[in-house]
Amino acid sequence: MTAQDICVMVPTIRNPGCMRAYFENAREHGFDLDRLFVVLITEDFCDSESMRAMLDEAGVDGAVFDEEARGEWYAERGISEFSHLVPAASHAQTSFGLLYLWAHDYDYGVFIDDDTAPHETVDFFGTHMANLAFEGEIERVRSDENWVNVLYQNEDDHGLYPRGYPYAAMDETVETDTTEVDRVVASQGLWTNVPDLDAVRILMDGDLQGQAQTRTSAADFDGDFVAAEGHYLTVCSMNLAFRREVVPAFYQLPMDDNAWDVGRFDDIWSGLFLKRACDVLGGTIYNGDPLCEHNKAPRSTFSDLTNEVHGLELNEHVWEEVDAVGDDADSYREVFRAMADRLAEGDYDDWENGAFLNHCGEYMRDWLDCLAALEADTAEAPEPAPPAADD
């Protein structure tokens, strides 16, 4: 019997049917779908029943959680006091998927966005799992700005920097060499078609529909790589696999539903936390394949700008804050605690909406408490009764 060891988390209100292509990709490449449990995270105004029917028709195990179902799940596990950690109607609802993974002891997690599709020629799930198991030599990238542009391989031609890359770190000098890695904890697949840009960069690219005039193709990516120790990179959760152990340091922050109207940095800042923890503990974030096709739907670029602008100045500095702490930690939980305390107690009055970082720090503390409560709930769960003996 195949062990069900991978929790696939998909925030969706528009296109849950995207998962059919991922299931078909798995079958075409001989990946065992019995390893997957799919968590579709949606809203009460969506058709949850049709999503459940889609999973049933595909023959894939899973569950659908709209807001009502999430509330019931929290209550069943005695963690309703932590429901604020997952914001309403936000991409950061991926944090609910992390809680589900944690409560059910899955070894691996996979984030997939519902506006993506796998490349037919690449084994999507199999490649992610191979990346997480990888040991050996790989290209290492660094720059004089301590930042790595994940689109660096053809940047001279397309000139693109991804969403979340600090403006102060642009025009960097890139250096590459090779390194040996032996503990990959996250596998970031990159993307073709619509690049993952912020609204300012989309506007500069001449697009008012929230996409980009400049597109990427497989030819823009030339081999897999890692960012050097002490160097940061953008981590996008549209195509990402990771090990269970990183969950305490991988909270997707409370975007959109906050007093400062900060949005769109949930996966970006969680990636900074993860990279800092990896550098302290010897973990590696693997980047490159499997590529996915990003088919972002048209929408107002100015709408995205409205969501992002409140956090743009903070984004220039968050990485420096987390880089300053956690050196002596010996677990992902401890590194995250150090970063949480730094943000919760920091004086950020000089930055626009600086108090949002204090808010995030408090939520990060709550995240660790929530995981501890889930662990306690699991430990206290009664053992199943043994089967009755035969007469």
Side-chain angles (χ1 to χ4, degrees), residues 1-9 33-40 55 60-65 73 77 96-110 129 132 183 185 241-248 371 374 378:
M1 182 177 178
T2 301
Q4 191 176 76
D5 59 345
I6 304 171
C7 184
V8 180
M9 294 151 277
L33 284 170
D34 288 341
R35 294 182 64 182
L36 306 184
F37 187 90
V38 178
V39 177
L40 300 179
L55 293 174
V60 177
D61 202 5
V64 181
F65 287 93
W73 192 85
R77 282 153 186 81
F96 176 80
L98 296 178
L99 294 177
Y100 192 93
L101 179 156
W102 196 253
H104 292 273
D105 291 326
Y106 292 105
D107 294 330
Y108 306 101
V110 178
M129 292 300 107
L132 291 174
R183 183 61 177 174
V185 297
F242 50 91
R243 294 181 181 272
R244 171 187 175 81
E245 68 195 69
V246 308
V247 168
L371 294 182
L374 279 175
T378 301

Side-chain angles (χ1 to χ4, degrees), residues 12 34 96 181 186 202 208 211 213 251 258 263 269 327 363 370:
T12 181
D34 288 341
F96 176 80
V181 302
I202 293 171
L208 301 183
Q211 299 176 319
Q213 296 295 310
Y251 173 50
N258 59 74
W269 292 356
D327 284 328
Y363 272 52
C370 182

Side-chain angles (χ1 to χ4, degrees), residues 18-312:
C18 76
M19 292 307 299
R20 293 188 179 93
Y22 286 95
F23 301 150
E24 181 61 26
N25 176 275
R27 292 190 173 97
E28 288 292 322
H29 291 277
F31 187 85
D32 189 353
L33 284 170
D34 288 341
R35 294 182 64 182
L36 306 184
F37 187 90
V38 178
V39 177
L40 300 179
I41 307 161
T42 189
E43 299 298 336
D44 288 349
F45 58 78
C46 296
D47 188 351
S48 297
E49 286 304 317
S50 69
M51 296 184 194
R52 295 185 184 94
M54 183 268 292
L55 293 174
D56 289 343
E57 291 166 7
V60 177
D61 202 5
V64 181
F65 287 93
D66 54 23
E67 185 175 5
E68 180 180 1
R70 291 193 296 273
E72 292 171 355
W73 192 85
Y74 298 140
E76 288 168 2
R77 282 153 186 81
I79 61 167
S80 294
E81 65 182 294
F82 297 108
S83 62
H84 62 282
L85 289 170
V86 180
S90 170
H91 184 269
Q93 287 175 343
T94 44
S95 283
F96 176 80
L98 296 178
L99 294 177
Y100 192 93
L101 179 156
W102 196 253
H104 292 273
D105 291 326
Y106 292 105
D107 294 330
Y108 306 101
V110 178
F111 285 150
I112 295 175
D113 276 5
D114 71 355
D115 58 358
T116 66
H119 284 223
E120 293 181 0
T121 58
V122 178
D123 178 358
F124 180 83
F125 293 109
T127 301
H128 270 309
M129 292 300 107
N131 292 348
L132 291 174
F134 178 80
E135 297 180 6
E137 191 173 89
I138 191 170
E139 183 169 76
R140 174 173 56 186
V141 189
R142 66 177 72 243
S143 83
D144 58 343
E145 297 288 351
N146 293 100
W147 266 84
V148 170
N149 177 2
V150 297
L151 302 176
Y152 79 96
Q153 289 168 332
N154 202 22
E155 192 270 332
D156 286 344
D157 287 344
H158 56 57
L160 297 176
Y161 286 88
R163 176 177 56 90
Y165 191 98
Y167 288 92
M170 293 172 63
D171 300 321
E172 74 283 13
T173 299
V174 176
E175 297 179 357
T176 63
D177 60 6
T178 58
T179 190
E180 290 280 333
V181 302
D182 60 9
R183 183 61 177 174
V184 176
V185 297
S187 167
Q188 176 174 211
L190 300 176
W191 7 264
T192 61
N193 194 26
V194 181
D196 183 34
L197 309 181
D198 67 26
V200 173
R201 292 180 170 108
I202 293 171
L203 289 171
M204 294 299 292
D205 196 51
D207 192 290
L208 301 183
Q209 298 301 309
Q211 299 176 319
Q213 296 295 310
T214 302
R215 301 298 175 93
T216 55
S217 70
D220 290 308
F221 303 96
D222 182 23
D224 301 336
F225 63 92
V226 300
E229 182 178 335
H231 286 60
Y232 289 85
L233 74 165
T234 56
V235 174
C236 171
S237 65
M238 77 169 75
N239 173 12
L240 186 75
F242 50 91
R243 294 181 181 272
R244 171 187 175 81
E245 68 195 69
V246 308
V247 168
F250 205 38
Y251 173 50
Q252 312 288 293
L253 289 166
M255 297 290 154
D256 305 303
D257 185 19
N258 59 74
W260 300 266
D261 294 326
V262 178
R264 299 265 292 162
F265 290 102
D266 47 309
D267 50 354
I268 299 300
W269 292 356
S270 74
L272 301 179
F273 304 150
L274 179 59
K275 183 57 165 66
R276 175 57 179 160
C278 284
D279 287 350
V280 171
L281 301 170
T284 300
I285 302 174
Y286 187 112
N287 308 278
D289 273 334
L291 301 175
C292 74
E293 184 176 302
H294 184 208
N295 301 312
K296 184 180 179 182
R299 65 188 187 215
S300 169
T301 307
F302 296 100
S303 177
D304 278 354
L305 181 61
T306 298
N307 291 330
E308 295 168 1
V309 69
H310 305 288
L312 285 177

Side-chain angles (χ1 to χ4, degrees), residues 326-347:
D327 284 328
D328 298 330
D330 59 10
S331 70
Y332 285 91
R333 191 186 303 259
E334 287 189 15
V335 181
F336 196 69
R337 173 69 68 182
M339 293 185 284
D341 290 346
R342 174 81 172 195
L343 295 183
E345 298 168 10
D347 180 1

